[in-house]
Structures are given as structure tokens and as C-alpha cells.
Amino acid sequence: MFLIKFPSNSLALSVVLLWFLLDSKCVADRVRVINLNRNWTLSNENGTITKSGVTIPSGVYSQLYGEKILDSYNDVDLRWISYDNWTYTYSFSVKTEDFKSICFVNLTLHGIDTVAEVRLNGDWLGRPENMFVRYSYDITKLLQEDNILEIEIKSPVYEALNRARALKRLGLDIPPNCPPSQYHGECHMNMLRKMQASFGWDWGLAAPSMGIWKSVTLEYYDVAIIRDVDVMLTKYSTHWTMENRVFIDCNGDFYAELTFYAVELFKNPVIITKHVKTPVSCKAPFITFDIDVPINEVTLWWPNGYGDQKLYPLHYSLKAWSNPDGPTLRDNVNSEKSIRIGFRTIELIEDPVKEGTGNTFFFKINGKEIFMKGSNYIPSHILPEYSRDSNRLKHLLQAAKDTHQNMIRLWGGGIYESDEFYDLADQNGLLIWHDMMFACAMYPATETFLASVRLEISQNIKRIAHHPSIAILATNNENEVALVQSWYGTSFEDERFRKDYRKLYLATVMHELKIVEHSSRPIALVSSPSNGKASANDNYISDNPQDPDYGDVHFYDVFKDAWDPSIYPRPRFSSEYGFQGLPQMASWLKTAAPHEKLIPLIEHRQHHPVGIPVMTNLIRRHLPLPLPEDAPYLEALVYFSQIAQAMATKVETELYRSLRDTEHRTMGALYWQLNDVWIAPSWSSIDFYGNYKLLHYWSQDFLAPISIIALYDRNSKAINVSLVCDEFEVDTNDLKVTLNIYKWSQLLPTNSTTWPVTLKSNGVHYDKIIPISEIITGELTTKNCLVEFVLRRGSTFLSHTFYFPGSIKESLAVKDPKITLEISHRYCSSSAYVKTNNYSLTVSTKYPALFVYIELLRPDISKYKLSCNGFMQVTPVQAIHLEFEANNCINLTRHDIKLTTVNQYLKTRPI
């Protein structure tokens, strides 16, 4: 009898195991995979803390305190957790009287965070040291009747320090040694292959995580098990060729028969028999085969906004055996894997430009040039065991889709995401610019470190490459520019650091990425930002990796006026840019301790080295921010920071979109950043609790498929009016633009001018250059009016934008808008687990209301969404839709909703 015994509260799992472990041998023909995810015990090194009944995935922080690490000053107060060593222990029993080594038993740790010792019955199995790597151990001969599995996880802080000291003894310093003091972080993040942001970042807390962040499994098989499948698609005039590669783990050479099912493409399964007589070598354990699909039988997969995201399920069944005479009925030979693919072509076009110097840098999907618009994505949680939360992932990626994004950049300081993340990206049509997990640091180039990296890249790229959402890979974030510009003082040994850089990224990471390299896929970028393929001319370390005429750029300049389009570069592709804003007051109140003062907490969580002035300097250029000693300062700071962030990002994004068909050929704008890991000053458009900042609300308009853009040109003192259209086909009939000029003191336009326009499909129509002197005439001044541009087809509204001729804080004759809000309709719908509350709100005003900001004040509603927010109201009535989920239907009253406008902070002054 071969039986694993579990405690009584795991009775159901024990019954399942009994079903397929019935006699002295490994019976039935399927590979058995058993999750060992329940009833672990966690204890610290001296045994003063012990916790039983632990469920995997798990981390020490989350096991002891849940999400309290995100509250108050717990990022510092709970840091002691990461200074200790912790052990996860699991007990199980096996009856082995008849057990012989007929069946191979494998212990697989799918994710250990980070450095650990693994022991079974006191015998050392191995030392995981890379949280991104799957570790497997043959335990067939180590099993006893009573077994104890121990995973002792070392303090990541001290482990990183010890490794840095060991290199120092060899005369090697690998900077940056420590983060800026404002991070309240820990040192030597680059010594460990773990989420780099877990030691602190300019937007996130230091929570040096440790734990078992993915499943632990026992695997029973004779010789082989499928790990991953990659499918490379090549389109021809008559058909698609599917090049399949099935990646396998094995314990010896084996014979195999592979059955392939594609029920929506082929009526019958395809059986691959080439290895029935010729064994597969365990030194190169994969099986390849090609199959053709007629082109007219395939529906294309398109990015969000351009078509459907058709996905085809594929299933692979491997029968593997070691005996040349074939398997017996009792052998565990069948292993299975299912994936979904999308048929699409993708090209990164880097051709010499017709005007000036440089190369283009744009993507073609299914033969169509597509402007990439979207955001950067960081881990959904600072604790990696929580990063797989399905509800949070769905909310974030749906929010990206809803705001017309078609690409997200998976940033290199985080993690290789869960399978569900990539599945959701596929379903939502979100292409992924995917960094490998190296960011903002130099790294060791020792053989031990490089060997770990090779395994990391190989395992992860084989897992994710088949997804249609994977658009481009980059080996690191900002490390080329950091090296060239000596961000971390590397110039003193420049030659050594350049050599190590090439050894890590070219000889190691790029080499492993060749596993999935194919003519149908863009070649990986060595860094971001970089000069793209032109980097090869400099052996991938260019003098100026931020050259706007090549590749991609990152741009930040906190000391200039971010509302001014002239400060921004004119790049081929902007893959990272943004400005900080504060989460809403309700989120701050939720994360703070009762009666805690918020200003010191905000300052503690402001990790930008410039501090709070990084926001207030821009705010004070344009908005009437009260003095810190004034009573309304805090609420105004939160509100104005969101306006300043939204306006800055809007202006920069619109500039990039407008440059598409100019000599600059800008073809991508990915703002920093979509999401957050806690409540803090940051660049995110969605706060940690899932609430939209004004930036995210506004992005529904400035990323819309059809947009009117009106940007001020400082040199010509004129407004450049452009009409952007991302649609492949567009109706150009009866299109017109209206320019409305409103005085601050009245709702009806003082002047209106309308003219016919057209749209350029999948491009930009450059419509007019209007001198300011033609707009501001007569009694109008830069201080008493605002300008609106509206695009319509007939009477149908398509898009609008506003231009402010002067600083808002200096506006004259601004009146109290006499704004009111009524709840006009309520509706509550039910699903299996939640109530969706829907409200229709009516906002009325008698005078122009600036940046109308709606807040829900109910502390029991942590996340809600409005149809728009932070809007300019120049009409008497505005209808708003409010939606949130709760455990029950909630009856909101007018007192639960707060309205704020900039008007109330402006002194009413005559013209």
C-alpha cells in the first residue's frame, strides 16, 4: 500500500489520493500530480513564533499579518520579519512495504521566495536561490514511512548582505549598494534573484518578502512529464504553419507518442509517432512537429480596439515510456497540457526614415501599422503570494481595456506573472512589452549567478511565449542608460561593468531567449530604453540610449512645466513617462491608523528624492493650492495633485499621438504607471484599492480611437489642432469642429466657430494652426476665459478637449457655480457572490465649474467607478453613472457624495 496520510481536516483530499494510489505499484496510466498546499507549519528560527494550518501559496508577512503591512508605518514597523529565518514544515506518511522504484517520485517547488534549504527527513535536497525558478528533486529513494519536509527560508536582507560582502572580499563592488534614504528600503537587492521592488522603490514600500509563493507538488511518473508548450505561427498566402514544441522534464531517455487535439481547427486528433522507435534524448527533452491550417479556417486575433480576440484551445497528450518494447498497462506514462493560442502576425519595423536620420520603431499587427497606447504594469501586490489574486488582476486589465489601451509594459523590477495574467491579457487584447526581471542596477556576472539566470529565463520564456499578447521582449529596464550615464558611479571601472553587462544580457539572457526566437517574432531588445536594432552598431551599449531618432525613450523632468508640450522629446516610441499624483482621501483614511495625521504619513510614503515639492511645484504653477497651514490644504493637495497629474499625462500622450504622421514618426505612448502596491504618492492611474485617479478617468478620452487634440506651440504662439483616428476604416461624412470660447462668468459660449473637417483612417489629420491672437480678442483675455474644441459627426458628439489660455490660479471673474447633485435613479443587480449597485447622478450648475470632482464618502465602499470625473462642466446638466460592488444593495443618500470644484479655491475677482 502506497498512501499519503493527511490530517483529519484534509479528509477530502485523502479520499481523492486513495482513488488512484490503490496497490503496491503506481497504477493507472496517468502521471500523478499531487498538490501539497495545505496544513503546513511555519516557525521562526528560535521557535518563538509558530503558526499551523498554513496554506500554500504563502509568505511570512501575509501569514502573520495579512495585508497589514500596507497600513500606517508598518512598512518599517514590521521589517523585523525579514531579518529572521523561517521554516515551513510539512508532515506526511507513506506505506512502503511493497514500494519499489517502479515509479519515479519528484518533489517540485514551483516558487520559493527566495534563498532556502530544502530537507526531506533530514536529508538535504537542495538550495533554491531564485524565486523565478522551478526546482525539482528526485525523492524516490528518500521516502520513508513517516516523512518530514522542511523548507528553511533565509532572511533575504542578510543573505543579500552576505553575498555583497563575499564579492567585496574578491574586490568586486556591484552598485547600487543601497537605495536612496527616502525609500526606507534595504540594501543589495541586486544580489538576489527576487522581485527587485521588494527591497523598496520610488513608488513602493520595502517588504523583503519570503515564503512559498507558488505550489509544492509531488509528481509520480515513469520517465517524463510535459512542462510547457510553445507554438510559433507563420502565415503564408494559403495557410498558417503551426510549429509546435513540447518541452518535457525527464529522468532518462524515453520513447514517446504525442497526441495533439485542436477541436476548433481539426476534426480528428493528430498523432506524432516519430519517437515511438527513436528515443527522445533527456539532454534535449522536447518534441517538435509542424501542422498547417488553411488560412480561410482561421479567425485572426487583434489587439484591443481593432477586432476580436479569438483564441483556439489546444491540447497535448504525451505517452512516454523507457522500455523499447513499449509501456505496460500499469506504467505512469500519460502527461497532458492545454493552452490557448491566437493567430496573428507581429512585426517591429525599424527601417531608415525618409526624412532626417534614424530608424522607425513601430509595430505592425496582421499587416497593419498600429499606434501602441497604454501603460506600464508593476506587480499587483508587493507580496508575491498575493500577486495572483484573480479579482485584482481582472479589475486592472479590464480597466486598461476600458480606456482603449492596446499595450502594457511589464516592468523589469517585478515578477514573471501568473498564467492567469497572460490569459487575461490575451482575452482583453492587451499586447505585452515584456522586460526580463532586471531593473535599475548592475548585477554580478559570476558563474553561479549566470547559471541561475539561465534557468530562470529558460523556464519562464518557455511558459509564456505562446501567448498572442506577448509582443516584444527586453532583457532589462534602464540598465544600459544607467551604465552609460554612470547613475551608480560605475565610471571608475567602466570597462569591467561593460564587460559584465554584455556577459549577463547578451551572452546569457539573449542566448536563452533564442529558445523561442523565430522569424515570426520580433527580436528581443537588449534594454529599455535603447536604440533598438541600431544598438548592435555599438555592441549594445550606445553613447546615447535615449536617442529620440531610434528605439524607445523614457522621459521624466520634474522641474519643468509638465503642462507645456514643448518640454517633451519627439521620440519614435515613448515606453515610459508620467507624473505623480495622490490617491483619494478615502484611500488615505483607510490605510492610516485611527486619528493618525496624514501629512506626515504622506511625507513618509513619498519616496521621490525631491519629496512633496515634486508635485506642489507643478500644482502651484497652475492651481490655487492653499498654504500648508491653511485648513483646506490636505484635501486641496490630494485633489490638485490628481488634476496636475492628469493634465500633464494628457498633454504628453496627446503630443505623442499627434506626432504619428510627422517626420518624428512617433508610434507608441505607454505612460507610467497603471497600478499601485500601496496607498502612496505615485505615478499610478489606479490606486491600490482599485479606485481610478483622475488620470484614469481622463485617459478614456485622450486614448480614445477618435480624438481631437489642441496643443499650444510656444514658438508660434498658436494652437495646433489635430484629429487622430486609430480606426482602419472611418466615415468622413458630415464631420465638423466647433471652437467655443467661454467666459468664466457664463455658461453659454461668448464666441463659437464651426468648420468642416475630415479624418485620416489609422492616422492623423493635421487640421489647423490657430494663432492665440485670433482666439483672444476684444473683451477676452487670457485670465477670463477657457477654450473648448468639439468634434462631431452631424449632431453626434465624438470628442472634445479644453485649452486654458492662462494660469487657472490667476483667472478672473470665476463665480461660485451653484453646483448641485441629485441621485436620479438606483438599480441593484445580483450575481452569485456580489451585488452590483448602479446609480444615476445628475450634476447641475449655473456657471462654468472647473474640474468637477465626485467622491463617495462611504467607508464601507472601498472601490467604485464613475462614468467620468474631474470634468469641465460648461453645460447646465451633466449625467454621471456610478457603479460599485458590495455584499448587499446599499442605499446611498446625497450626504454620501462629495462635490469639489476648483472654483471654491479661487477668489472671486472682477475682470
Side-chain angles (χ1 to χ4, degrees):
M1 184 79 173
F2 184 70
L3 173 65
I4 297 178
K5 293 181 180 178
F6 293 87
S8 58
N9 57 355
S10 293
L11 179 60
L13 182 57
S14 299
V15 171
V16 173
L17 296 179
L18 280 167
W19 179 75
F20 60 83
L21 298 173
L22 294 176
D23 70 7
S24 60
K25 298 179 181 178
C26 293
V27 300
D29 66 346
R30 291 187 181 277
V31 168
R32 310 298 184 192
V33 178
I34 302 171
N35 290 318
L36 305 183
N37 290 343
R38 295 185 178 181
N39 291 302
W40 290 71
T41 297
L42 173 66
S43 58
N44 65 341
E45 189 168 35
N46 63 15
T48 57
I49 300 175
T50 300
K51 194 157 188 183
S52 58
V54 173
T55 298
I56 307 299
S58 167
V60 181
Y61 273 108
S62 58
Q63 205 61 56
L64 297 181
Y65 292 100
E67 290 196 332
K68 289 183 179 179
I69 180 67
L70 306 178
D71 294 342
S72 190
Y73 293 86
N74 284 346
D75 61 312
V76 173
D77 294 344
L78 297 181
R79 190 71 55 80
W80 60 269
I81 293 172
S82 65
Y83 301 153
D84 207 344
N85 298 326
W86 298 83
T87 299
Y88 285 84
T89 305
Y90 185 81
S91 301
F92 60 97
S93 298
V94 179
K95 291 188 177 180
T96 58
E97 60 267 20
D98 296 321
F99 180 75
K100 298 178 182 178
S101 298
I102 296 174
C103 180
F104 178 79
V105 184
N106 200 57
L107 172 69
T108 295
L109 312 176
H110 291 271
I112 302 297
D113 182 14
T114 295
V115 179
E117 301 278 351
V118 182
R119 297 181 291 270
L120 181 64
N121 303 323
D123 290 320
W124 187 81
L125 294 182
R127 182 178 169 87
E129 58 179 12
N130 187 325
M131 75 173 285
F132 308 124
V133 165
R134 176 184 65 249
Y135 292 91
S136 291
Y137 305 104
D138 176 4
I139 61 170
T140 312
K141 297 179 181 179
L142 297 178
L143 284 171
Q144 301 175 7
E145 210 163 297
D146 295 308
N147 298 276
I148 297 178
L149 174 62
E150 296 173 289
I151 301 176
E152 180 186 351
I153 300 179
K154 306 294 185 179
S155 161
V157 174
Y158 288 117
E159 189 66 29
L161 176 61
N162 291 338
R163 294 183 179 206
R165 287 174 173 172
L167 289 174
K168 200 82 169 179
R169 288 193 290 270
L170 298 174
L172 299 176
D173 183 40
I174 313 294
N177 291 314
C178 296
S181 60
Q182 293 88 347
Y183 289 17
H184 310 293
E186 296 292 346
C187 300
H188 308 298
M189 67 170 190
N190 50 348
M191 294 294 102
L192 301 180
R193 291 310 301 141
K194 73 183 273 93
M195 184 170 80
Q196 298 291 270
S198 68
F199 274 35
W201 218 264
D202 56 6
W203 41 258
L205 69 161
S209 55
M210 48 207 307
I212 307 176
W213 74 293
K214 292 185 180 181
S215 292
V216 176
T217 59
L218 289 181
E219 300 164 338
Y220 301 85
Y221 56 89
D222 282 345
V223 290
I225 185 172
I226 296 177
R227 285 298 181 200
D228 297 294
V229 176
D230 186 25
V231 181
M232 294 163 287
L233 300 168
T234 306
K235 185 180 180 182
Y236 298 96
S237 59
T238 60
H239 65 279
W240 290 81
T241 294
M242 301 170 58
E243 299 179 48
N244 298 265
R245 282 194 291 176
V246 180
F247 298 104
I248 300 163
D249 274 4
C250 54
N251 56 39
D253 295 351
F254 62 94
Y255 301 88
E257 179 181 274
L258 182 69
T259 304
F260 169 65
Y261 302 85
V263 293
E264 294 187 36
L265 298 171
F266 307 107
K267 292 182 179 179
N268 300 311
V270 177
I271 301 176
I272 310 301
T273 60
K274 61 182 178 181
H275 293 293
V276 169
K277 297 298 183 182
T278 303
V280 178
S281 171
C282 204
K283 294 181 179 178
F286 58 86
I287 296 174
T288 65
F289 67 95
D290 297 350
I291 191 165
D292 295 336
V293 185
I295 201 165
N296 58 1
E297 294 185 11
V298 168
T299 299
L300 293 178
W301 182 96
W302 286 97
N304 180 36
Y306 294 90
D308 295 332
Q309 289 78 49
K310 174 61 179 174
L311 296 170
Y312 289 89
L314 308 179
H315 184 76
Y316 301 80
S317 179
L318 173 70
K319 181 182 290 186
W321 63 93
S322 57
N323 190 329
D325 296 328
T328 69
L329 293 176
R330 294 180 179 272
D331 289 342
N332 289 71
V333 296
N334 281 351
S335 177
E336 299 180 340
K337 183 78 175 182
S338 295
I339 63 171
R340 294 197 297 174
I341 65 167
F343 286 83
R344 59 102 178 100
T345 63
I346 183 165
E347 305 165 83
L348 176 57
I349 308 300
E350 297 185 80
D351 293 336
V353 295
K354 297 178 181 179
E355 311 90 351
T357 60
N359 295 332
T360 62
F361 190 93
F362 66 88
F363 292 89
K364 291 177 78 172
I365 312 296
N366 298 326
K368 297 283 191 178
E369 294 185 12
I370 291 182
F371 187 99
M372 294 300 160
K373 52 186 182 179
S375 58
N376 284 253
Y377 184 92
I378 62 173
S380 67
H381 207 289
I382 197 64
L383 302 178
E385 62 270 20
Y386 283 152
S387 67
R388 304 154 65 88
D389 181 84
S390 181
N391 290 332
R392 186 177 284 119
L393 293 179
K394 288 177 180 177
H395 176 72
L396 291 173
L397 296 189
Q398 184 66 49
K401 178 179 181 178
D402 289 345
T403 50
H404 315 292
Q405 299 186 35
N406 56 36
M407 177 177 273
I408 54 176
R409 176 171 174 258
L410 198 63
W411 171 73
I415 60 175
Y416 304 93
E417 292 287 337
S418 64
D419 291 341
E420 183 177 11
F421 175 91
Y422 300 105
D423 288 340
L424 287 168
D426 293 344
Q427 295 164 27
N428 287 304
L430 296 171
L431 291 165
I432 299 174
W433 175 310
H434 203 308
D435 290 352
M436 300 298 102
M437 295 303 122
F438 301 86
C440 299
M442 303 297 105
Y443 289 90
T446 64
E447 185 47 46
T448 300
F449 189 88
L450 297 178
S452 180
V453 168
R454 280 191 282 271
L455 193 58
E456 166 191 330
I457 301 299
S458 172
Q459 286 187 1
N460 283 284
I461 199 60
K462 287 187 287 191
R463 176 173 67 93
I464 69 175
H466 70 273
H467 288 276
S469 55
I470 299 295
I472 186 73
L473 307 172
T475 74
N476 70 75
N477 169 79
E478 298 185 346
N479 291 341
E480 180 187 356
V481 67
L483 176 59
V484 171
Q485 297 179 2
S486 192
W487 288 4
Y488 312 117
T490 54
S491 57
F492 74 100
E493 275 191 286
D494 189 62
E495 185 175 346
R496 171 170 75 88
F497 286 112
R498 287 173 180 255
K499 181 180 178 181
D500 286 354
Y501 179 93
R502 293 184 174 109
K503 186 184 292 186
L504 173 58
Y505 299 117
L506 296 177
T508 304
V509 179
M510 286 290 281
H511 182 270
E512 293 303 317
L513 291 178
K514 290 183 182 296
I515 295 170
V516 298
E517 190 174 290
H518 190 263
S519 60
S520 67
R521 292 170 172 164
I523 295 174
L525 304 169
V526 176
S527 189
S528 174
S530 77
N531 292 340
K533 75 174 186 180
S535 299
N537 301 330
D538 305 310
N539 199 10
Y540 299 98
I541 302 177
S542 303
D543 290 340
N544 179 18
Q546 292 266 46
D547 191 329
D549 292 332
Y550 298 89
D552 67 311
V553 304
H554 297 183
F555 180 80
Y556 299 92
D557 192 333
V558 301
F559 299 107
K560 294 181 180 178
D561 183 0
W563 293 23
D564 180 357
S566 69
I567 76 165
Y568 297 111
R570 271 60 178 168
R572 306 298 185 203
F573 197 111
S574 187
S575 58
E576 192 180 313
Y577 62 92
F579 200 85
Q580 281 193 339
L582 293 169
Q584 64 185 22
M585 281 295 297
S587 294
W588 282 107
L589 293 172
K590 184 176 180 181
T591 201
H595 312 298
E596 193 164 64
K597 292 183 179 180
L598 290 183
I599 289 292
L601 182 63
I602 291 172
E603 292 174 342
H604 171 77
R605 295 186 176 206
Q606 171 55 288
H607 289 182
H608 196 293
V610 178
I612 294 298
V614 75
M615 292 183 293
T616 56
N617 288 347
L618 179 61
I619 293 170
R620 292 194 185 279
R621 285 178 183 265
H622 298 279
L623 298 165
L625 181 65
L627 295 174
E629 57 268 25
D630 293 338
Y633 173 74
L634 178 56
E635 290 192 356
L637 177 64
V638 170
Y639 172 43
F640 288 153
S641 76
Q642 290 201 20
I643 295 173
Q645 177 193 31
M647 182 65 78
T649 311
K650 174 182 186 289
V651 167
E652 188 169 0
T653 305
E654 289 183 334
L655 173 68
Y656 296 146
R657 293 190 75 188
S658 73
L659 295 174
R660 172 176 182 165
D661 290 336
T662 67
E663 69 274 16
H664 303 291
R665 289 290 279 136
T666 305
M667 285 295 289
L670 310 178
Y671 71 78
W672 183 268
Q673 64 209 66
L674 178 69
N675 56 310
D676 243 334
V677 297
W678 67 338
I679 298 302
S682 88
W683 294 256
S684 75
S685 63
I686 304 176
D687 77 21
F688 175 74
Y689 296 125
N691 290 295
Y692 294 1
K693 294 181 184 176
L694 293 189
L695 168 56
H696 206 79
Y697 284 112
W698 286 25
S699 69
Q700 296 175 98
D701 295 326
F702 67 70
L703 293 178
I706 295 177
S707 295
I708 184 168
I709 295 172
L711 297 174
Y712 176 67
D713 182 76
R714 185 195 299 170
N715 294 326
S716 63
K717 296 182 179 179
I719 302 294
N720 294 331
V721 180
S722 306
L723 303 174
V724 176
C725 178
D726 293 334
E727 297 176 357
F728 294 148
E729 297 180 3
V730 62
D731 179 6
T732 59
N733 292 321
D734 200 17
L735 292 168
K736 58 181 179 290
V737 166
T738 300
L739 184 157
N740 295 317
I741 304 176
Y742 294 90
K743 279 189 173 181
W744 292 121
S745 57
Q746 61 189 48
L747 281 180
L748 293 177
T750 301
N751 293 324
S752 288
T753 306
T754 299
W755 63 91
V757 295
T758 190
L759 289 171
K760 178 183 176 182
S761 61
N762 204 26
V764 182
H765 170 67
Y766 300 99
D767 186 56
K768 280 184 181 293
I769 300 175
I770 308 174
I772 291 296
S773 60
E774 294 183 7
I775 298 175
I776 308 299
T777 61
E779 62 180 350
L780 299 174
T781 71
T782 59
K783 296 184 178 182
N784 70 357
C785 67
L786 72 157
V787 182
E788 179 190 35
F789 295 86
V790 185
L791 173 64
R792 291 186 176 88
R793 178 181 291 112
S795 60
T796 302
F797 172 87
L798 295 179
S799 175
H800 76 154
T801 190
F802 287 91
Y803 168 69
F804 303 97
S807 172
I808 294 170
K809 70 177 182 180
E810 297 175 356
S811 297
L812 302 176
V814 175
K815 293 192 174 184
D816 177 356
K818 309 296 183 183
I819 196 165
T820 61
L821 182 146
E822 293 182 359
I823 298 174
S824 53
H825 182 71
R826 299 178 176 85
Y827 175 70
C828 185
S829 60
S830 300
S831 62
Y833 305 105
V834 72
K835 306 283 187 183
T836 301
N837 289 259
N838 295 274
Y839 283 80
S840 294
L841 311 178
T842 301
V843 180
S844 302
T845 186
K846 293 184 178 181
Y847 300 100
L850 288 73
F851 304 109
V852 180
Y853 185 51
I854 302 174
E855 295 177 88
L856 198 54
L857 301 179
R858 291 283 293 260
D860 56 336
I861 302 171
S862 62
K863 181 173 66 179
Y864 58 90
K865 185 168 70 174
L866 298 153
S867 56
C868 65
N869 205 359
F871 52 90
M872 301 296 297
Q873 186 158 346
V874 291
T875 57
V877 176
Q878 176 80 39
I880 305 293
H881 178 75
L882 166 67
E883 180 180 306
F884 59 88
E885 293 181 347
N887 294 327
N888 47 42
C889 294
I890 294 178
N891 184 28
L892 293 181
T893 69
R894 175 62 185 87
H895 298 292
D896 295 320
I897 303 172
K898 182 180 179 181
L899 275 181
T900 306
T901 69
V902 173
N903 302 57
Q904 68 197 57
Y905 292 95
L906 288 166
K907 295 179 181 179
T908 302
R909 293 175 293 171
I911 297 174

